Amino acid sequence: MSEIKIKVGIIGATGYAGAELVRLLIAHPNAEIAALSSRSYEGKRFSEIYPAFFGAVDDILTSEDAVIERSDVIFASLPHGLSEKIARKCIDKGKKLIDLGADFRLSSESDYKEWYGLDYTDKELHEKSYYMIPELMRGGYKGQPIIANPGCYPTSIALGISPIVKSGNFVRDSIVIDSKSGVTGAGRGLTQNTHYPDCNEAFGPYKVAAHRHTPEIEENIYKVSGEKVKVIFTPHLTPVNRGIVSTIYVTLKEDVALSDVYDAYVGFYKNEKFVRVLPLGSAANLKNVRMSNYADISLHKDARTNRLVIVAAIDNMVKGASGQAIQNMNVMFSLAEDTGLTAIAPSF
Amino acid sequence: MSEIKIKVGIIGATGYAGAELVRLLIAHPNAEIAALSSRSYEGKRFSEIYPAFFGAVDDILTSEDAVIERSDVIFASLPHGLSEKIARKCIDKGKKLIDLGADFRLSSESDYKEWYGLDYTDKELHEKSYYMIPELMRGGYKGQPIIANPGCYPTSIALGISPIVKSGNFVRDSIVIDSKSGVTGAGRGLTQNTHYPDCNEAFGPYKVAAHRHTPEIEENIYKVSGEKVKVIFTPHLTPVNRGIVSTIYVTLKEDVALSDVYDAYVGFYKNEKFVRVLPLGSAANLKNVRMSNYADISLHKDARTNRLVIVAAIDNMVKGASGQAIQNMNVMFSLAEDTGLTAIAPSF
Amino acid sequence: MSEIKIKVGIIGATGYAGAELVRLLIAHPNAEIAALSSRSYEGKRFSEIYPAFFGAVDDILTSEDAVIERSDVIFASLPHGLSEKIARKCIDKGKKLIDLGADFRLSSESDYKEWYGLDYTDKELHEKSYYMIPELMRGGYKGQPIIANPGCYPTSIALGISPIVKSGNFVRDSIVIDSKSGVTGAGRGLTQNTHYPDCNEAFGPYKVAAHRHTPEIEENIYKVSGEKVKVIFTPHLTPVNRGIVSTIYVTLKEDVALSDVYDAYVGFYKNEKFVRVLPLGSAANLKNVRMSNYADISLHKDARTNRLVIVAAIDNMVKGASGQAIQNMNVMFSLAEDTGLTAIAPSF
Amino acid sequence: MSEIKIKVGIIGATGYAGAELVRLLIAHPNAEIAALSSRSYEGKRFSEIYPAFFGAVDDILTSEDAVIERSDVIFASLPHGLSEKIARKCIDKGKKLIDLGADFRLSSESDYKEWYGLDYTDKELHEKSYYMIPELMRGGYKGQPIIANPGCYPTSIALGISPIVKSGNFVRDSIVIDSKSGVTGAGRGLTQNTHYPDCNEAFGPYKVAAHRHTPEIEENIYKVSGEKVKVIFTPHLTPVNRGIVSTIYVTLKEDVALSDVYDAYVGFYKNEKFVRVLPLGSAANLKNVRMSNYADISLHKDARTNRLVIVAAIDNMVKGASGQAIQNMNVMFSLAEDTGLTAIAPSF
């Protein structure tokens, strides 16, 4: 185990992703929390907002500038549109940034404009940033000081779909993605839809054919396979706290057997600790990855329609956000990638 | 309001569908419960099994024969393979039967053999039976003494998909159906997957590409449209007590506008009380139909992939089982179809 | 069944109690909804706020004055401090008022001042009002035009404790009340504690030794028994949508047998449809009363400490709010008390 | 950090407490899992039963004898009545045993007979065993080879009540304990009450005045304070997976201020990492201790009735079972007591 201690700061520490970063980082042997900021709660103790940390993380919430000042690496978890300014400060001070927001995720500025309604105002920053799902993209990381941490849905989908799209054994434009997310995916902000009595014993889709993760999903497919495909993506809100299940439908080329697909997946992920291709006959379920950095993938074939069904399950807050961000930090600092991330899901 | 009082019996009264029939029937102005049977609990009071009915339905659970003897119409809610024998007794005694099981649902005996592993042993009964989702099939009902009550998933899907398949404006074999059901769909029998700590904070698919409702779904499409299509159908278990949401993906023919589809749906269901085509921009959610006989349908188009997304939500225990069975009874006895079924979902 | 149709209006119709009134009233044979008001949503349709009512209650939300104008009886469901003004208008126009808020519940103005921080400003109104849990107090109703509808916790507690306090067989000042409520009890307003991910998989007390229902609980005991006792009352928030369970501990006088207590309870409630004294050996559970106007009471004795444990379960939104309000309306209009309120809890 | 690696075996590894031991032990730096047994699943892989461990703990489940043979310390998690035989084998082979069952918890054989219906058949074993809640009893541990791990409810209650009973500032026989447990407390075995649709949206007490943890609770009070008191204890089943909240009512002697009680609690636990006395004004909630070994205690006084309300929250599976068992192992092997147990609760 390396003896280094990275000084870590979190901007937006009282949002769900921020709080999850704190939870994971205090168990990370090579990190120490240097500073936490919150616009809403500056001056309060972190443990006043999250009493689970009483006695363990009683740090007083400070400003963004103080976080940048005191840290080697800064995690920013903010609504979109706010990260460029922070990134500029980090770069100018020689600090590293892992951005959990959307501002550095899309390589196409026009996609960003179309889906988020904003422009890139400091374009140089985007050249210094790298979007990374480590299992798929770590090879291309060249030490960029900004890492764009992927969205939760795109992570589950890219991990689930990459081996089959890379193999080429599928029918273009046949991809249908039906995803289901736990409620933390909607964030800590209060809304009627996430008010307990309105959300409990409820289930339904939202932002049908209009979710901002769509271009990120398609760009990931392009990066892995060189294929420019259009996907349909429908997210649903599920009454659990955590987890995403993406059920992905892909029509196979003729004569592609499920066992061949399975072998391809196992081969694709053979060196990956966090991606588990389940034995044929099993079905992925978010309960087996909750609170963990694992992604479970199960594969199924409907011979009647020649469709492959890929089910990918992750914890939206860990592999879909804060855990992957730490995994990215580990890459950034050349630590073993699983450092601080080895917890297994509680099964109940 | 008609003054008739139909004597109603329930075989399998202590299963979930049976108990839901009791709950709905005691509020039905033209029905009176004549007898209830249960193999597991014969001799006990119904309210010992379901204490919610203490003081209201304290009937002693009796035998199947006694139920048939005392009733004008019998609801049977049993595992598959048991209904033919009961149907024979009903027919021989001149009683009517509404079967909530699977034994009379499929018109093709070979489909039944393939998916359920059993033969039809008393074929004459099948000629005296009629499968009925009233909104789609009441016109064909000719007074058959046996009504096969549809499955929960097929009900949600047939209501959701019929207008578009009937219109012909869709691409054959493009249909992908991703359904999510509450846990009552798995019945009252104990299993590890439905044990509370294993089922709560969990979500995933089951019987992928292998669920027995598949041939029933395809047969419904055929009945409505004359089209023999193959669908892929994936059910998921959702941690809510009740409700089904079916998200249905259909590729549209070129130049079919969402507004045209919407108009077609509104027209198709314009005389149907229980089917609500939601305003464009809304998304169906099971919370708005729970405990009610309503089916909510929302329509969405993904212009990027030219796919129609149909979301159909029902309560699996009401419109998907016991409520529709009573609706079918109302048809059978020429009562107003909504008699006893007008309750609105509690919103919380 | 009487042929009368009472014109009913609801002020505060988009709060949870208001929406529950709508749900129950549309099934009431002698009521018709005349008008609904909402400060937050005036001008919108009720079904826009609660889509479960789409096609059934599409009324446009209007003003409080319009509601009063068009109705024979007005239900008001508002935060405390707002009811006197509405009551004055109702009285002046000869309308009846059933107030679901706290403003008319306490007979002692000083208690109201102490616990709610406000004065009675229109004292005449309080002489024209009557607080009523029908099972305990209908005998004293003299046609007052204002009925104060009881709080949810006090209803469960008064029904649970009245027979034993009236019998005198208990030790004064031994009463400990530990109550647990579903989340609808906190209302429709958004708070962090009722945000789904903060509230799900959580459980704990709130307002310990400080809840405003305390004086109402004590006043009910006084009304029934003439005893001025102090109780300790601790409410807890439970992750279910609906229901209250109050576990009440009372030390018995020497030599009081459980069977005697049981007989006293059965006798006390022998003519009451909505109060069910469960057989000894059973335990009340909110699942058996959800969505219904029933109150279930179970009785237990701990011989080791000579304590009686009374468990009282109601649905906080029905018997604890809107259902009891309609029951009170039935009393007010001399209808059978169970009119429109006979639904049994769904058991799942 | 010590370099020792204790060989740990688990008998009953597929029950909930067993699986939780596995989850915690694989993160323990000084333990390695040597063998796991299961009567129900011998010969299967552990990860077949708990797929969350796929790829991490794929050990084949073996026999009890093999577990004893291969381990330095054995955790046994079995129904009562089975531990003596295992203990005898352990002792004879010079192995240590930490028993999570009830068989070694009560020092009084007659209490065991009364509440569990069985005799002690190998009495020598009981002299070699020690019951230990470390915070309260570690001082008395003399290296006994058998540690009786406390019950979940008694742990929460002993931690909550010890400072006040030890202070003597309370009225004997005034103690009322109202506890609420998550559903894992009922174990992995299937029952109707824990079937999801029967358990979800439900809440109620069980085993009122009859729960087997009662004598253990009273014995703990006696050990700490020398007081033989009788308590009334009522457990309730709460629809969450994990956690216990015990609300404890104790009448204070005259003139005992809440601040004095608070100071006594803070002093009592000043060296205890896992017991957190919350600031006055806060209320303990199980969400802040879930998945962690922490116990949170909040203190409240009702001046009107002179009662102290103590709220104690733990995770029933961690501090109430497997976490405390590991804490006891740490004591047994002279490791830092928090080794492997420092995780903080996820707040959502």
Side-chain angles (χ1 to χ4, degrees):
Chain A
M1 193 180 297
S2 167
E3 291 301 305
I4 70 163
K5 280 280 182 189
I6 307 163
K7 285 181 187 155
V8 177
I10 302 170
I11 290 175
T14 55
Y16 281 158
E20 189 72 351
L21 281 165
V22 175
R23 185 177 76 85
L24 295 169
L25 286 166
I26 58 177
H28 192 293
N30 304 114
E32 62 185 4
I33 292 175
L36 307 173
S37 82
S38 164
R39 293 192 178 183
S40 311
Y41 300 106
E42 190 172 338
K44 292 206 166 190
R45 294 186 185 280
F46 179 74
S47 57
E48 289 178 77
I49 315 308
Y50 288 103
F53 293 88
F54 177 60
V57 185
D58 296 320
D59 303 42
I60 289 174
L61 294 158
T62 183
S63 68
E64 296 175 8
D65 286 347
V67 169
I68 296 171
E69 193 62 42
R70 295 184 210 159
S71 309
D72 302 321
V73 59
I74 292 93
F75 292 92
S77 178
L78 296 168
H80 73 273
L82 301 173
S83 292
E84 278 189 342
K85 224 172 92 183
I86 288 164
R88 172 51 60 198
K89 290 184 187 176
C90 290
I91 294 298
D92 289 351
K93 289 181 180 286
K95 308 298 176 90
K96 296 178 189 298
L97 173 68
I98 296 173
D99 185 31
L100 285 81
D103 294 350
F104 291 99
R105 287 182 188 156
L106 298 179
S107 59
S108 156
E109 186 179 350
S110 67
D111 277 355
Y112 184 71
K113 176 83 177 173
E114 177 185 346
W115 292 85
Y116 292 91
L118 296 175
D119 294 304
Y120 288 170
T121 57
D122 189 343
K123 298 190 188 188
E124 185 207 4
L125 294 170
H126 295 269
E127 288 157 28
K128 299 191 168 176
S129 78
Y130 187 70
Y131 174 99
M132 181 156 58
I133 297 173
E135 288 81 0
L136 303 176
M137 303 163 190
R138 71 169 76 84
Y141 180 61
K142 308 295 180 207
Q144 289 91 336
I146 301 171
I147 290 181
N149 205 56
C152 50
Y153 287 121
T155 295
S156 71
I157 294 161
L159 291 172
I161 207 169
S162 286
I164 189 66
V165 297
K166 191 159 189 207
S167 78
N169 281 325
F170 75 109
V171 176
R172 273 179 61 95
D173 298 331
S174 72
I175 301 171
V176 172
I177 303 166
D178 191 284
S179 292
K180 302 86 179 174
S181 174
V183 187
T184 48
R188 187 172 182 263
L190 307 181
T191 67
Q192 201 68 51
N193 277 344
T194 54
H195 186 51
Y196 186 88
D198 292 316
C199 184
N200 182 42
E201 297 295 290
F203 183 90
Y206 64 100
K207 292 187 192 161
V208 182
H211 195 283
R212 285 169 167 163
H213 282 174
T214 307
E216 186 182 343
I217 294 164
E218 292 176 349
E219 190 170 327
N220 284 336
I221 292 173
Y222 177 69
K223 284 177 184 170
V224 169
S225 69
E227 296 274 4
K228 295 218 169 191
V229 300
K230 296 282 184 204
V231 303
I232 180 164
F233 165 60
T234 309
H236 300 71
L237 190 63
T238 308
V240 298
N241 276 8
R242 289 163 174 255
I244 283 177
V245 169
S246 290
T247 311
I248 306 169
Y249 299 87
V250 182
T251 302
L252 293 171
K253 287 193 177 161
E254 291 295 318
D255 302 322
V256 178
L258 179 58
S259 59
D260 293 338
V261 175
Y262 173 76
D263 290 345
Y265 272 72
V266 169
F268 194 95
Y269 289 121
K270 67 175 180 294
N271 297 319
E272 298 302 335
K273 173 170 187 165
F274 291 129
V275 182
R276 303 190 291 201
V277 181
L278 302 186
L280 291 177
S282 306
N285 191 301
L286 60 80
K287 77 175 160 182
N288 296 320
V289 295
R290 284 193 316 136
M291 322 270 172
S292 91
N293 201 50
Y294 285 85
D296 278 2
I297 295 171
S298 66
L299 300 165
H300 317 262
K301 184 179 170 183
D302 183 32
R304 302 166 68 261
T305 65
N306 202 37
R307 279 200 180 82
L308 177 69
V309 185
I310 306 152
V311 184
I314 63 169
D315 184 313
N316 60 309
M317 298 308 302
V318 186
K319 185 62 178 166
S322 305
Q324 184 154 265
I326 291 171
Q327 190 179 354
N328 275 328
M329 179 190 80
N330 291 342
V331 174
M332 197 175 233
F333 287 86
S334 303
L335 297 169
E337 227 172 80
D338 69 345
T339 310
L341 295 171
T342 55
I344 295 290
S347 298
F348 40 81
Chain B
M1 192 179 298
S2 166
E3 291 303 306
I4 71 163
K5 279 282 182 188
I6 306 164
K7 286 179 187 156
V8 177
I10 302 172
I11 291 174
T14 56
Y16 281 159
E20 189 71 352
L21 280 166
V22 174
R23 185 177 76 86
L24 295 169
L25 285 167
I26 59 177
H28 192 294
N30 303 114
E32 63 185 2
I33 292 175
L36 306 173
S37 82
S38 164
R39 291 190 179 185
S40 310
Y41 300 107
E42 190 173 338
K44 292 205 165 189
R45 294 186 185 282
F46 179 74
S47 57
E48 289 179 78
I49 316 308
Y50 288 103
F53 293 89
F54 177 60
V57 184
D58 296 320
D59 304 41
I60 290 174
L61 294 158
T62 183
S63 68
E64 296 175 9
D65 286 347
V67 169
I68 296 172
E69 193 61 41
R70 294 184 210 158
S71 308
D72 301 323
V73 58
I74 292 94
F75 292 91
S77 178
L78 297 169
H80 74 272
L82 301 173
S83 293
E84 279 189 341
K85 224 172 93 183
I86 288 163
R88 171 52 60 199
K89 288 185 189 177
C90 290
I91 295 297
D92 288 351
K93 289 182 179 286
K95 307 299 176 88
K96 295 177 191 297
L97 173 69
I98 297 173
D99 185 31
L100 284 82
D103 295 351
F104 291 98
R105 287 181 190 156
L106 299 179
S107 58
S108 156
E109 186 178 352
S110 67
D111 277 354
Y112 184 70
K113 176 83 178 174
E114 178 185 346
W115 291 85
Y116 291 91
L118 295 175
D119 294 303
Y120 288 171
T121 57
D122 189 344
K123 298 190 189 190
E124 185 207 3
L125 293 169
H126 295 268
E127 288 157 28
K128 298 190 168 178
S129 78
Y130 187 71
Y131 175 98
M132 182 156 58
I133 297 173
E135 288 81 1
L136 303 176
M137 303 162 190
R138 71 168 74 84
Y141 180 61
K142 308 295 180 207
Q144 288 90 336
I146 302 171
I147 290 180
N149 205 58
C152 51
Y153 287 120
T155 296
S156 71
I157 294 161
L159 291 172
I161 207 169
S162 287
I164 189 65
V165 297
K166 191 156 190 210
S167 77
N169 281 326
F170 75 110
V171 176
R172 274 180 60 96
D173 298 330
S174 71
I175 302 171
V176 172
I177 303 166
D178 192 283
S179 292
K180 301 87 178 172
S181 173
V183 187
T184 48
R188 187 173 182 263
L190 306 181
T191 68
Q192 201 68 51
N193 276 344
T194 54
H195 186 51
Y196 186 89
D198 293 317
C199 184
N200 182 42
E201 297 295 291
F203 183 90
Y206 64 99
K207 292 188 190 160
V208 182
H211 195 283
R212 285 169 167 164
H213 282 173
T214 308
E216 185 182 342
I217 294 164
E218 292 176 348
E219 191 169 327
N220 284 335
I221 292 174
Y222 177 70
K223 283 177 183 170
V224 168
S225 69
E227 295 275 3
K228 295 218 169 192
V229 299
K230 296 283 184 203
V231 303
I232 180 164
F233 164 59
T234 310
H236 300 71
L237 190 63
T238 309
V240 297
N241 277 7
R242 288 163 175 253
I244 283 176
V245 169
S246 290
T247 311
I248 307 169
Y249 300 87
V250 183
T251 302
L252 292 171
K253 287 193 177 161
E254 291 295 318
D255 302 323
V256 178
L258 179 58
S259 59
D260 294 337
V261 175
Y262 174 76
D263 290 344
Y265 271 72
V266 169
F268 193 95
Y269 289 120
K270 68 177 181 290
N271 297 319
E272 298 302 335
K273 172 169 190 169
F274 291 128
V275 182
R276 302 191 290 200
V277 181
L278 302 186
L280 290 177
S282 307
N285 190 301
L286 60 81
K287 77 175 160 183
N288 296 320
V289 295
R290 284 194 316 137
M291 321 271 173
S292 90
N293 201 51
Y294 284 85
D296 277 2
I297 296 171
S298 68
L299 299 164
H300 316 264
K301 184 179 172 184
D302 183 32
R304 301 167 68 260
T305 64
N306 202 37
R307 279 201 179 82
L308 177 69
V309 185
I310 307 151
V311 184
I314 63 169
D315 183 312
N316 61 309
M317 297 309 303
V318 186
K319 185 61 179 168
S322 305
Q324 184 155 265
I326 292 171
Q327 191 179 353
N328 275 327
M329 179 190 80
N330 291 341
V331 174
M332 198 176 231
F333 288 85
S334 303
L335 297 169
E337 228 172 79
D338 69 345
T339 310
L341 295 171
T342 55
I344 295 290
S347 297
F348 41 81
Chain C
M1 196 181 293
S2 167
E3 291 303 305
I4 70 164
K5 280 280 183 189
I6 307 163
K7 286 181 188 155
V8 177
I10 303 172
I11 291 174
T14 57
Y16 282 158
E20 189 72 352
L21 281 165
V22 175
R23 185 177 77 85
L24 295 169
L25 285 167
I26 59 178
H28 192 293
N30 304 114
E32 62 185 2
I33 293 176
L36 306 173
S37 81
S38 164
R39 293 191 178 184
S40 311
Y41 300 107
E42 190 173 337
K44 293 206 164 189
R45 295 187 183 281
F46 179 73
S47 58
E48 289 180 77
I49 314 309
Y50 288 103
F53 293 88
F54 177 60
V57 184
D58 296 320
D59 304 41
I60 290 174
L61 294 158
T62 182
S63 68
E64 295 175 9
D65 285 348
V67 168
I68 296 171
E69 193 60 43
R70 296 186 211 156
S71 308
D72 302 322
V73 59
I74 292 92
F75 292 92
S77 178
L78 297 169
H80 74 272
L82 301 174
S83 292
E84 278 188 341
K85 226 173 90 183
I86 287 163
R88 171 51 61 199
K89 289 184 187 174
C90 290
I91 294 299
D92 289 350
K93 289 181 179 286
K95 308 298 176 88
K96 295 177 191 296
L97 173 69
I98 297 173
D99 185 32
L100 284 81
D103 295 351
F104 291 98
R105 286 182 189 155
L106 298 179
S107 59
S108 155
E109 186 178 350
S110 68
D111 277 354
Y112 184 70
K113 176 84 178 175
E114 178 186 346
W115 291 85
Y116 291 91
L118 295 176
D119 294 302
Y120 288 171
T121 57
D122 189 344
K123 298 190 188 189
E124 186 208 1
L125 293 169
H126 295 268
E127 286 157 29
K128 299 190 167 177
S129 78
Y130 188 71
Y131 174 97
M132 180 156 58
I133 297 174
E135 288 81 0
L136 303 176
M137 302 161 191
R138 72 169 74 83
Y141 181 61
K142 308 295 181 207
Q144 289 90 336
I146 301 171
I147 290 181
N149 205 57
C152 51
Y153 287 121
T155 296
S156 71
I157 294 161
L159 292 172
I161 207 169
S162 286
I164 189 66
V165 296
K166 190 155 188 208
S167 77
N169 282 326
F170 74 110
V171 175
R172 273 178 62 96
D173 297 331
S174 71
I175 301 171
V176 172
I177 303 166
D178 191 283
S179 293
K180 302 89 179 174
S181 174
V183 187
T184 48
R188 187 173 182 263
L190 306 181
T191 68
Q192 201 68 51
N193 276 344
T194 55
H195 187 51
Y196 186 89
D198 292 318
C199 184
N200 182 42
E201 298 295 291
F203 183 91
Y206 64 100
K207 292 188 191 159
V208 183
H211 195 285
R212 285 168 167 164
H213 281 174
T214 308
E216 186 181 342
I217 294 164
E218 293 176 349
E219 191 170 327
N220 284 334
I221 293 173
Y222 177 70
K223 283 177 184 169
V224 169
S225 69
E227 296 274 1
K228 294 217 171 193
V229 299
K230 295 282 184 203
V231 303
I232 180 163
F233 165 59
T234 310
H236 299 72
L237 190 63
T238 308
V240 297
N241 277 7
R242 289 162 175 254
I244 283 176
V245 169
S246 290
T247 310
I248 307 169
Y249 299 86
V250 183
T251 302
L252 292 171
K253 287 193 177 161
E254 291 294 317
D255 301 323
V256 178
L258 180 58
S259 58
D260 294 337
V261 175
Y262 174 75
D263 290 345
Y265 271 73
V266 169
F268 193 96
Y269 289 121
K270 67 177 181 292
N271 297 319
E272 297 302 335
K273 172 168 189 169
F274 291 129
V275 183
R276 302 191 290 200
V277 181
L278 302 185
L280 290 177
S282 307
N285 192 302
L286 60 81
K287 78 174 159 182
N288 297 319
V289 296
R290 283 193 315 136
M291 321 273 172
S292 90
N293 201 50
Y294 285 85
D296 277 2
I297 296 171
S298 67
L299 299 165
H300 316 263
K301 184 180 172 184
D302 183 32
R304 301 166 69 262
T305 64
N306 202 37
R307 278 201 181 81
L308 177 69
V309 185
I310 307 152
V311 184
I314 63 169
D315 184 312
N316 61 309
M317 298 308 303
V318 186
K319 185 60 179 169
S322 305
Q324 184 154 266
I326 292 171
Q327 190 180 353
N328 275 327
M329 179 190 81
N330 291 341
V331 173
M332 198 176 230
F333 286 86
S334 303
L335 297 169
E337 227 171 82
D338 68 346
T339 310
L341 295 171
T342 55
I344 295 290
S347 296
F348 41 81
Chain D
M1 194 180 293
S2 167
E3 291 302 305
I4 71 164
K5 280 281 182 187
I6 307 163
K7 286 180 187 153
V8 177
I10 302 171
I11 291 175
T14 55
Y16 281 158
E20 189 71 352
L21 281 165
V22 175
R23 186 176 77 85
L24 295 169
L25 285 167
I26 59 178
H28 192 292
N30 303 115
E32 62 185 3
I33 291 175
L36 306 173
S37 81
S38 164
R39 293 191 177 185
S40 311
Y41 300 106
E42 191 173 336
K44 294 206 165 188
R45 293 187 185 281
F46 180 73
S47 58
E48 290 179 79
I49 315 308
Y50 288 102
F53 293 89
F54 177 60
V57 184
D58 296 320
D59 304 41
I60 289 173
L61 294 158
T62 182
S63 68
E64 296 175 8
D65 285 348
V67 168
I68 296 171
E69 194 61 42
R70 295 185 210 157
S71 309
D72 301 322
V73 59
I74 292 94
F75 292 92
S77 179
L78 296 169
H80 74 273
L82 301 173
S83 293
E84 279 189 342
K85 226 172 91 183
I86 287 164
R88 170 53 58 198
K89 289 184 187 176
C90 291
I91 294 298
D92 289 351
K93 289 181 179 286
K95 309 298 176 88
K96 295 178 190 299
L97 173 69
I98 297 173
D99 185 32
L100 284 82
D103 295 352
F104 290 98
R105 287 182 189 155
L106 298 179
S107 58
S108 156
E109 186 178 350
S110 67
D111 278 353
Y112 184 70
K113 176 84 178 174
E114 177 185 347
W115 292 84
Y116 291 90
L118 295 174
D119 294 304
Y120 288 171
T121 58
D122 188 345
K123 299 189 186 187
E124 185 207 3
L125 294 170
H126 296 269
E127 287 156 28
K128 299 190 168 178
S129 78
Y130 188 69
Y131 174 99
M132 182 156 57
I133 297 172
E135 288 81 0
L136 303 176
M137 302 162 191
R138 71 169 77 83
Y141 180 62
K142 309 295 180 205
Q144 289 90 336
I146 301 170
I147 290 181
N149 205 57
C152 51
Y153 287 121
T155 296
S156 71
I157 294 161
L159 291 172
I161 206 168
S162 286
I164 189 67
V165 297
K166 191 156 187 209
S167 77
N169 281 326
F170 74 110
V171 176
R172 273 179 60 96
D173 298 331
S174 71
I175 302 170
V176 172
I177 303 166
D178 191 284
S179 292
K180 302 86 179 176
S181 174
V183 186
T184 49
R188 188 174 181 261
L190 307 181
T191 67
Q192 200 69 50
N193 276 343
T194 55
H195 187 50
Y196 186 88
D198 292 318
C199 184
N200 182 41
E201 298 295 292
F203 183 90
Y206 64 99
K207 292 188 190 160
V208 182
H211 195 284
R212 284 168 167 165
H213 281 174
T214 307
E216 187 182 342
I217 294 164
E218 292 176 349
E219 192 170 325
N220 284 335
I221 293 174
Y222 176 70
K223 283 177 184 170
V224 169
S225 69
E227 295 274 3
K228 295 217 171 193
V229 299
K230 296 283 185 203
V231 302
I232 180 163
F233 165 59
T234 310
H236 299 72
L237 191 63
T238 308
V240 298
N241 276 8
R242 289 162 174 255
I244 283 177
V245 169
S246 290
T247 311
I248 307 169
Y249 300 86
V250 183
T251 302
L252 293 171
K253 287 192 177 161
E254 292 295 319
D255 302 322
V256 178
L258 179 58
S259 59
D260 293 337
V261 175
Y262 174 75
D263 290 344
Y265 271 72
V266 168
F268 193 95
Y269 289 121
K270 68 175 179 295
N271 297 319
E272 298 302 334
K273 172 169 188 168
F274 292 129
V275 182
R276 303 191 290 200
V277 181
L278 302 187
L280 290 177
S282 306
N285 191 303
L286 60 81
K287 78 175 160 182
N288 296 320
V289 295
R290 283 193 316 135
M291 320 272 173
S292 90
N293 202 49
Y294 285 85
D296 277 2
I297 296 171
S298 67
L299 300 164
H300 317 263
K301 184 179 170 183
D302 182 33
R304 302 167 68 261
T305 64
N306 202 37
R307 279 201 179 82
L308 177 68
V309 185
I310 307 151
V311 184
I314 63 170
D315 184 311
N316 60 309
M317 297 309 302
V318 187
K319 185 60 179 168
S322 304
Q324 183 155 266
I326 292 170
Q327 191 180 353
N328 275 327
M329 179 190 81
N330 291 341
V331 174
M332 198 176 232
F333 287 84
S334 302
L335 297 169
E337 227 172 80
D338 68 345
T339 311
L341 295 171
T342 55
I344 295 289
S347 297
F348 40 80

